[in-house]
Amino acid sequence: LLYSKYRKDFIQKVYLMKKLSFVIPTVERFDYLEICLNSLSKTIRPNNLYINLTIVDDASSDKKVISFIENYSPTFCDEINKIFKTTRTPGLCETNLKEIWSLNYDLGYDYFCNLDPDAILNPNWLIKVINLHDKFGTDSIITPFDTESHGRVKVSSDYVKKDTIGGICMFFDRNIYKNFVEPMLYPSPGWDWEVCKNFKNFYCTNPSYIDHIGKVSSARDSNLIPFFDRAVNFIGE
């Protein structure tokens, strides 16, 4: 009877929770991935949020990458799925995000978020993002990443409003996903920029709770530029 009551209470609690589909698409780049996931493990979970974390490895040849993901087990999420692809996917981020987010949209998930695997995070990043989303409602996309490469429209004590943001980490609800994000995913070549062209209500946390530690370029894998896209005022641990 005690077990039955516990199970009933647990099911009821999960049913009442909002559900987040959180996806990290990655390939190779072990040094960045290790730093990223180790910092992500310290995430402080918000109240009343069920978190489904999916890590998609897009056919990495580096065995260290595979092994690290296989053994990765953070406590901030309720469910973790690990997908290891055997052939490289066209449009790494766009395709893998669309596959997982669209599935979880059909399953009734409330929120969606991505993370690039070459970022470092403050433990409070998700709480700050949720707080901003609660403040500005469902007609917004939130990010904990504020950079000089995307101009500021309005600066407040706890947020920065922008017309464009980068795709390193975006948080939004199911309405935004269906109407603005999903149509911009694969085969669109740069989903974050396509979203920015079709949506103009972006808010960054102030200060930034994520920083971009990897090298970046428009070509992704060639002509890499170090320190191109860094947070304006990142708050570390």
Side-chain angles (χ1 to χ4, degrees), residues 22-236:
F22 179 35
V23 184
I24 304 174
T26 185
V27 61
E28 309 295 3
R29 306 178 84 188
F30 172 74
D31 291 341
Y32 290 139
L33 178 67
E34 182 183 36
I35 294 171
C36 175
L37 294 187
N38 282 339
S39 71
L40 180 65
S41 293
K42 301 173 185 177
T43 296
I44 300 171
R45 65 173 302 138
N47 294 327
N48 301 317
L49 184 67
Y50 183 91
I51 303 173
N52 178 314
L53 170 61
T54 302
I55 302 174
V56 185
D57 177 76
D58 207 56
S60 291
S61 59
D62 188 343
K63 293 182 180 178
K64 290 187 298 183
V65 171
I66 305 298
S67 177
F68 189 81
I69 295 173
E70 286 177 337
N71 291 292
Y72 183 65
S73 182
T75 58
F76 74 89
C77 58
D78 300 279
E79 180 181 356
I80 183 167
N81 303 306
K82 301 170 184 179
I83 300 172
F84 299 95
K85 297 200 168 182
T86 56
T87 57
R88 190 66 52 85
T89 305
L92 165 62
C93 290
E94 290 82 357
T95 303
N96 291 322
L97 290 174
K98 189 170 188 176
E99 288 177 355
I100 296 157
W101 278 344
S102 296
L103 172 63
N104 285 336
Y105 176 89
D106 291 340
L107 292 174
Y109 273 68
D110 303 281
Y111 303 124
F112 303 85
C113 187
N114 69 292
L115 179 68
D116 282 6
D118 55 354
I120 187 169
L121 306 91
N122 176 288
N124 286 299
W125 76 275
L126 188 51
I127 288 177
K128 297 296 183 179
V129 165
I130 293 287
N131 288 344
L132 271 195
H133 184 271
D134 290 344
K135 181 172 185 173
F136 291 107
T138 60
D139 188 29
S140 60
I141 293 178
I142 310 296
T143 180
F145 182 53
D146 177 20
T147 73
E148 293 180 353
S149 57
H150 299 90
R152 294 170 157 193
V153 175
K154 179 181 179 181
V155 179
S156 184
S157 59
D158 61 342
Y159 72 88
V160 177
K161 190 177 190 306
K162 293 193 168 190
D163 282 336
T164 63
I165 59 175
I168 186 173
C169 181
M170 287 186 178
F171 180 96
F172 41 85
D173 68 11
R174 58 186 289 110
N175 173 61
I176 299 298
Y177 175 68
K178 199 63 179 177
N179 291 302
F180 293 98
V181 176
E182 186 181 50
M184 300 302 126
L185 294 172
Y186 191 78
S188 180
W191 75 279
D192 53 338
W193 175 240
E194 295 299 325
V195 169
C196 287
K197 289 194 296 185
N198 290 274
F199 188 84
K200 294 298 179 183
N201 208 18
F202 301 101
Y203 295 92
C204 305
T205 60
N206 188 23
S208 293
Y209 286 83
I210 285 182
D211 203 1
H212 192 183
I213 59 174
K215 297 179 180 180
V216 297
S217 78
S218 59
R220 298 195 181 189
D221 294 320
S222 62
N223 301 317
L224 293 173
I225 307 169
F227 309 116
F228 173 77
D229 196 27
R230 301 299 300 270
V232 173
N233 51 3
F234 171 61
I235 293 294

